[in-house]
Amino acid sequence: MSELLTAKSFGIENILKDLGLQGSNYGASTGLEHITTKGKKIDSFSPVDGQLIGSVNAATAGDYQTIIQTAENAFKTWRLIPAPKRGEIIRQIGEQFRKYKEPLGKLVSYEMGKSLQEGLGEVQEMIDICDFAVGLSRQLYGLTMHSERPMHRMYEQWHPLGIVGIISAFNFPVAVWSWNAALAWVCGDVCVWKPSSKTPLCAIACQNIIGDVLKRNNVPEGVSCLVIGNEAGDLINNDKRIPLVSFTGSTRIGRHVSKTVAERFGKTILELGGNNAIIVSEHADLGMVLVGAVFGAVGTAGQRCTSTRRLIVHESVYEKTIRVLQKAYEQLHIGNPLDPNNHVGPLIDKNATKDYLNAIEKAKQEGAKIIVEGGILSGEGYESGCYVKPCIIEAKNEYHIVQEETFAPILYVMKYSTVEEAIAMQNAVPQGLSSSIFTNNMREMELFLSHAGSDCGIANINIGTSGAEIGGAFGGEKETGGGRESGSDAWKGYMRRQTNTINYGSSLPLAQGINFTI
């Protein structure tokens, strides 16, 4: 970082020191060595107070080539290390994140703007996925199959792909990288990470944290690489040396990534937009709905891909639900996310506030009714201009603005008569990430989870749409991209499948009974 201004009242100066973010100036790293870069300067301003935290020079095309060449060389060594040994190194990385959980969590909160509890929770996700990867290191199973030919054996095995490109978004500046990296590493892959240019310091901090572990274990330089700057994104997408690109971001950019990588026959893991709904049944516990809906709508200031965008409420409990929500919204504290008394922090930048205001205006133009008024906050404590009021809007599901994802704390509410109607409304959007129904009626629960139910990658009963655990595969359908990260068998996306047949007999019978003689 070539410049440094900090808000001493938040203790950020000491946090930066703890994370090794003073006195350095680089926008690229090969894991063990930092590269002094001369690309475009990227300033990281905190949405908390508008202050400049630091400036990084982006990686140039030349820096990128150095990174990729180093990663290619590292892969040749890393893939030959037994998976349980790779798992042991990842275990140590998880321990290192435990050691730095507090300062890294505070940096996430300050650079991105989410609450301190959410920042610490994000680092906990990194720790959890490392634990998951350790166990996975002894479970990269293949299948055995019976051959139709005598004295033959068939089986499948999984091999590492090579270099995995990880392009992550600002809203989860460290966790989503770790979901990909921990699994890719244990599978024998090496990683090149391009973080969001809105949160570059969090990425540099992660490289600094794991550096000691990599050195201690004589890990080849290039297993964990970092390139900062938007130019690096297209370089990754077009690079035939990168067989897999994991992209997290908007559906619009995801289309470009998907097309670009597919044209060179590469693979993608896409985690794109969400337009998530909670269905509130007449049989719901409204006390539980309150917690799930409010946190889902206002947590991270509505900047999660799993944030609750729509609340579809049974007509018999609609008015009561609205009153409960209005009362809850009156009690929300908006302000510095490092203060544990606050529920809602800022949006990431002023462009996000413009999108928020535009969405509210479009909803009004389509005939929506404002239930809880929105707006930008100003005055002491809101100097960054990024703080907004969580807003509730009565709308129709077919409104154009309701069909879109706005990364802001806007909750659209609407009525339904039958559970079948509610499920149809929930599914009637282009996105398909997360979904939820609150009900104590078992038939409604089972219908929601059936083939005729939710069309999303995540479907929950009596919990909100936000806050997935790493044990399950994370991802969605339709315009959400279809990718899967994190738990379950998502590891298979980072490997290539190979079917093997062994003939241990003394003759060569052909499959399908084909008779071929010479």
Side-chain angles (χ1 to χ4, degrees):
M1 295 177 295
S2 56
E3 299 178 47
L4 182 65
L5 294 173
T6 62
K8 292 184 179 179
S9 61
F10 299 145
I12 298 301
E13 190 170 19
N14 290 332
I15 291 171
L16 295 175
K17 288 180 180 177
D18 290 343
L19 297 173
L21 289 172
Q22 289 184 310
S24 56
N25 174 26
Y26 60 92
S29 168
T30 57
L32 298 179
E33 296 292 334
H34 300 316
I35 298 174
T36 300
T37 50
K38 298 180 180 179
K40 180 182 178 182
K41 188 175 77 167
I42 298 173
D43 294 326
S44 177
F45 290 94
S46 171
V48 174
D49 56 8
Q51 296 237 21
L52 176 67
I53 314 172
S55 300
V56 176
N57 288 331
T60 64
D63 298 326
Y64 173 82
Q65 294 302 326
T66 299
I67 289 289
I68 294 299
Q69 289 167 14
T70 306
E72 279 189 306
N73 292 333
F75 174 61
K76 295 173 184 177
T77 302
W78 182 247
R79 65 184 176 182
L80 298 178
I81 298 173
K85 297 292 185 183
R86 297 194 296 259
E88 166 56 21
I89 294 169
I90 295 168
R91 183 194 68 78
Q92 294 175 38
I93 289 174
E95 288 301 311
Q96 199 76 343
F97 283 130
R98 282 184 173 89
K99 180 179 176 182
Y100 287 93
K101 179 178 178 177
E102 184 173 349
L104 183 57
K106 286 182 177 178
L107 178 62
V108 168
S109 179
Y110 186 61
E111 188 173 32
M112 185 267 147
K114 63 176 59 177
S115 74
L116 178 57
Q117 284 300 309
E118 291 181 82
L120 295 171
E122 186 167 343
V123 181
Q124 186 61 48
E125 283 191 60
M126 303 173 77
I127 296 166
D128 293 343
I129 197 64
C130 286
D131 287 348
F132 182 90
V134 174
L136 181 62
S137 69
R138 295 179 183 271
Q139 300 180 74
L140 300 174
Y141 299 137
L143 299 173
T144 60
M145 290 78 75
H146 288 280
S147 172
E148 65 186 58
R149 289 165 285 183
M151 305 190 80
H152 282 60
R153 180 167 67 88
M154 294 178 64
Y155 72 98
E156 68 177 22
Q157 59 179 328
W158 296 83
H159 297 294
L161 286 171
I163 302 174
V164 173
I166 303 169
I167 303 175
S168 62
F170 73 86
N171 60 330
F172 279 84
V174 295
V176 172
W177 162 71
S178 71
W179 292 356
N180 287 275
L183 296 193
W185 288 333
V186 82
C187 290
D189 299 315
V190 301
C191 299
V192 175
W193 178 21
K194 192 212 84 66
S196 169
S197 294
K198 297 179 181 181
T199 53
L201 304 185
C202 287
I204 297 171
C206 288
Q207 285 289 85
N208 290 345
I209 289 171
I210 70 176
D212 288 342
V213 174
L214 301 179
K215 289 178 182 177
R216 218 169 36 235
N217 289 275
N218 296 314
V219 172
E221 186 176 354
V223 167
S224 177
C225 297
L226 176 69
V227 284
I228 295 174
N230 292 334
E231 182 183 0
D234 269 339
L235 290 172
I236 289 172
N237 295 331
N238 285 284
D239 198 330
K240 292 182 178 180
R241 295 168 293 182
I242 301 179
L244 172 65
V245 176
S246 175
F247 173 80
T248 303
S250 69
T251 297
R252 179 180 61 83
I253 299 178
R255 283 195 179 95
H256 168 71
V257 173
S258 178
K259 180 180 178 181
T260 302
V261 177
E263 283 181 345
R264 60 176 178 82
F265 294 102
K267 297 169 61 179
T268 53
I269 296 174
L270 301 174
E271 298 291 353
L272 310 177
N275 195 345
N276 318 293
I278 293 177
I279 297 172
V280 181
S281 163
E282 60 187 312
H283 307 291
D285 181 329
L286 291 186
M288 294 174 66
V289 171
L290 178 66
V291 176
V294 175
F295 176 75
V298 309
T300 325
Q303 296 172 112
R304 292 185 176 213
C305 51
T306 55
S307 289
T308 305
R309 310 284 175 204
R310 297 173 294 143
L311 200 65
I312 303 170
V313 187
H314 190 272
E315 57 190 6
S316 67
V317 293
Y318 183 81
E319 297 299 333
K320 184 177 181 179
T321 301
I322 294 300
R323 289 196 300 270
V324 169
L325 285 174
Q326 287 174 316
K327 186 174 181 180
Y329 270 52
E330 289 171 1
Q331 298 174 46
L332 290 175
H333 295 161
I334 307 168
N336 169 17
L338 290 167
D339 182 345
N341 294 314
N342 290 326
H343 301 101
V344 185
L347 294 177
I348 186 64
D349 55 28
K350 290 182 180 179
N351 286 332
T353 65
K354 292 178 183 177
D355 291 341
Y356 159 84
L357 292 176
N358 287 338
I360 294 173
E361 186 58 33
K362 287 180 180 178
K364 290 178 180 178
Q365 291 172 2
E366 291 193 73
K369 176 184 176 182
I370 305 299
I371 301 296
V372 174
E373 196 73 42
I376 298 176
L377 295 169
S378 59
E380 185 176 355
Y382 304 124
E383 291 85 358
S384 69
C386 298
Y387 291 88
V388 301
K389 296 177 183 178
C391 178
I392 300 178
I393 300 176
E394 186 176 74
K396 294 183 179 180
N397 201 56
E398 60 267 25
Y399 286 173
H400 291 297
I401 191 60
V402 176
Q403 294 285 308
E404 298 175 7
E405 178 188 44
T406 303
F407 244 38
I410 299 174
L411 179 64
Y412 300 107
V413 294
M414 54 201 75
K415 298 177 185 178
Y416 77 90
S417 299
T418 68
V419 67
E420 291 82 5
E421 178 191 1
I423 292 171
M425 291 169 67
Q426 188 234 258
N427 292 345
V429 293
Q431 309 84 357
L433 179 52
S434 186
S435 58
S436 167
I437 185 171
F438 277 81
T439 181
N440 289 325
N441 182 303
M442 189 172 67
R443 290 181 176 176
E444 290 184 337
M445 294 180 190
E446 293 297 332
L447 178 63
F448 185 73
L449 299 178
S450 74
H451 297 320
S454 169
D455 65 359
C456 295
I458 299 170
N460 297 327
I461 305 292
N462 291 330
I463 63 171
T465 62
S466 189
E469 298 181 24
I470 61 95
F474 180 88
E477 302 300 325
K478 301 188 292 188
E479 289 190 4
T480 300
R484 292 297 185 274
E485 295 171 334
S486 195
S488 186
D489 65 348
W491 63 271
K492 293 180 179 179
Y494 303 86
M495 304 193 82
R496 59 181 176 87
R497 187 196 306 253
Q498 184 181 77
T499 301
N500 307 115
T501 305
I502 299 170
N503 179 0
Y504 57 91
S506 57
S507 62
L508 187 61
L510 301 179
Q512 293 84 48
I514 294 174
N515 186 15
F516 181 80
T517 58
I518 299 177

